[in-house]
Amino acid sequence: MRILILVRNFLPGHHQVISGEWNVAGVAYRAYDLEGKTVGTVGCGRIGKLLLQRLKPFNCNLLYHDRVKMDPQLEKETGAKFEEDLDTMLPKCDIVVVNTPLTEKTRGMFDKDRIAKMKKGVLIVNNARGAIMDTQAVVDACSSGHIAGYSGDVWNPQPAPKDHPWRYMPNQAMTPHVSGTTIDAQLRYAAGVKDMLDRYFKGEDFPVQNYIVKAGELAPQYR
């Protein structure tokens, strides 16, 4: 959704409706098709893989960067290509989606220098954590036009203070941290917690994907 909002320049059109305007050219001059664009995901865990699967019907050129390659069958199904080096992938992308966990290694990963390596006019969607981005570097790049659009619901800090610069920078489509708070998601959380408690009291193992640490070691998907 956030990719489409940025690609199609949706928000200015919506604001025209509210303000009583009607200026198609004022929206269209920054609106593009998603088809044919190169989209790269930084991080290809559960969410990154789902993103690639959902983008497949849009006929994009899909790239992904992670510590390890995905399952060959899924790679074939999505048509996504593995990029071992992040700084080699970024200049190829029209759209970059951040799906990597926040660690000491990824904190501030997208600083002024790394953003400068991206295409001028790149669109960025951050699904991960606000602290992965250098806050001021994003503001400066949005103001200069190097980043043509930035969207996400993750901030640093959270809740975002009223004077947080991302609230006021141009070409942003930010929201509070709402992505995981749909009614349907809450029902899934409740069912998942009940299932894990039932398994725990019965002495059963959890599904593999539910483990973060098992037997004192980090689960394989997080290594």
Side-chain angles (χ1 to χ4, degrees), residues 13-219:
H14 180 60
H15 292 156
Q16 281 188 21
V17 171
I18 294 171
S19 62
E21 300 177 56
W22 189 281
N23 180 3
V24 175
V27 175
Y29 85 106
R30 290 174 59 91
Y32 297 88
D33 293 337
L34 181 54
E35 183 178 8
K37 298 297 184 294
T38 297
V39 183
T41 175
V42 182
C44 199
R46 183 179 63 86
I47 294 174
K49 291 182 178 72
L50 288 170
L51 172 75
L52 295 174
Q53 290 173 312
R54 282 155 174 71
L55 284 173
K56 169 71 173 175
F58 287 93
N59 295 320
C60 300
N61 177 31
L62 300 176
L63 307 176
Y64 72 98
H65 167 77
D66 206 310
R67 292 170 297 175
V68 294
K69 297 185 70 174
M70 71 169 76
D71 178 76
Q73 182 60 35
L74 185 58
E75 194 172 69
K76 182 179 179 181
E77 289 174 6
T78 61
K81 296 179 181 177
F82 177 66
E83 293 279 346
E84 184 173 4
D85 183 70
L86 175 61
D87 291 328
T88 299
M89 182 184 81
L90 292 177
K92 302 175 183 178
C93 296
D94 302 299
I95 301 158
V96 173
V97 186
V98 183
N99 291 304
T100 191
L102 175 63
T103 65
E104 286 309 308
K105 185 176 180 181
T106 63
R107 185 180 297 275
M109 172 188 283
F110 286 88
D111 56 11
K112 179 180 179 180
D113 293 337
R114 180 154 275 145
I115 290 173
K117 295 176 181 179
M118 299 182 179
K119 283 184 178 181
K120 181 176 173 57
V122 67
L123 303 176
I124 300 177
V125 172
N126 187 354
N127 289 330
R129 290 293 181 266
I132 292 172
M133 317 300 292
D134 179 315
T135 298
Q136 191 57 48
V138 171
V139 174
D140 293 342
C142 283
S143 299
S144 72
H146 192 87
I147 295 177
Y150 183 88
S151 185
D153 67 345
V154 288
W155 305 70
N156 183 33
Q158 287 188 189
K162 290 184 179 180
D163 61 351
H164 195 293
W166 286 1
R167 291 180 182 268
Y168 308 106
M169 65 186 181
N171 305 319
Q172 57 89 2
M174 297 294 295
T175 69
H177 199 163
V178 297
S179 291
T181 54
T182 64
I183 298 300
D184 299 294
Q186 299 299 319
L187 292 171
R188 288 196 300 273
Y189 298 158
V193 170
K194 180 179 182 299
D195 177 68
M196 292 180 72
L197 288 172
D198 286 343
R199 289 171 184 266
Y200 175 79
F201 288 117
K202 292 176 182 177
E204 299 175 356
D205 280 346
F206 300 138
V208 174
Q209 67 270 20
N210 287 10
Y211 281 101
I212 299 174
V213 174
K214 185 176 183 181
E217 295 188 2
L218 199 62

